Amino acid sequence: MFSVDCCVVIILIYWYWYLPALISLLLYAGDVDIQATGGIQVNSMPLVIQPVTATRPMKLGGSVSATSLHLSNAELALLYTTNSLTLGGVYTGTLTVDGVSLANNASVVNLWSQATSATSSVVFSGGASNFTQPLDVRCTSNILVST
């Protein structure tokens, strides 16, 4: 169970021998509130979550930010995929990672801040972060690590 503020959900489907198969779940949102009663489970499909508004910041972990798409550690733990988990994308402004501890079953975690803006950076700040999966970080400006 999850609720969103200003959301577009896209489920990509392809046809193979007249049987539909899901390719990926893309969730574009202003903000997301993922409830502990179910989370988002897509099994072997890739899962993508990014802001719906161009250059909107995204924050993972740390305190809630009213001006960004925020996912807490508890919400991140409720994302289930054995494929890739992509947080951010072409609409994401600065993506801040603050004290994230992510140990789900995704094959790779992508952190992408690729809006066409000079401020599209990925910033690791605040608390220490821990990822047990391979991590792919991409941005159009800077990757910053601070304490």
Side-chain angles (χ1 to χ4, degrees), residues 50-71:
Q50 73 167 314
V52 70
T53 307
T55 70
R56 182 171 173 87
M58 189 167 181
K59 185 171 185 186
L60 307 176
S63 59
V64 175
S65 172
T67 60
S68 67
L69 191 163
H70 179 260
L71 291 168

Side-chain angles (χ1 to χ4, degrees), residues 97-147:
V97 181
D98 181 1
V100 170
S101 180
L102 189 58
N104 66 14
N105 54 354
S107 61
V108 64
V109 175
N110 303 306
L111 302 179
W112 293 350
S113 174
Q114 296 180 308
T116 55
S117 165
T119 61
S120 294
S121 301
V122 176
V123 179
F124 292 86
S125 67
S129 294
N130 180 36
F131 295 87
T132 59
Q133 313 80 349
L135 187 62
D136 176 16
V137 181
R138 299 180 191 188
C139 67
T140 55
S141 185
N142 299 301
I143 298 173
L144 305 169
V145 179
S146 64
T147 57

Side-chain angles (χ1 to χ4, degrees), residues 2-114:
F2 66 97
S3 63
V4 294
D5 172 32
C6 184
C7 173
V8 176
V9 176
I10 300 171
I11 300 175
L12 298 179
I13 299 175
Y14 73 96
W15 291 90
Y16 181 75
W17 293 98
Y18 303 105
L19 297 173
L22 296 174
I23 297 176
S24 61
L25 175 66
L26 291 83
L27 178 63
Y28 294 85
D31 197 14
V32 179
D33 181 19
I34 302 170
Q35 303 295 313
T37 55
I40 299 175
Q41 184 169 347
V42 293
N43 299 324
S44 62
M45 291 187 333
L47 173 60
V48 178
I49 300 176
Q50 73 167 314
V52 70
T53 307
T55 70
R56 182 171 173 87
M58 189 167 181
K59 185 171 185 186
L60 307 176
S63 59
V64 175
S65 172
T67 60
S68 67
L69 191 163
H70 179 260
L71 291 168
S72 68
N73 272 324
E75 290 173 318
L76 290 168
L78 294 172
L79 303 176
Y80 303 103
T81 179
T82 57
N83 206 307
S84 62
L85 172 60
T86 301
L87 302 169
V90 295
Y91 292 137
T92 309
T94 298
L95 191 154
T96 303
V97 181
D98 181 1
V100 170
S101 180
L102 189 58
N104 66 14
N105 54 354
S107 61
V108 64
V109 175
N110 303 306
L111 302 179
W112 293 350
S113 174
Q114 296 180 308

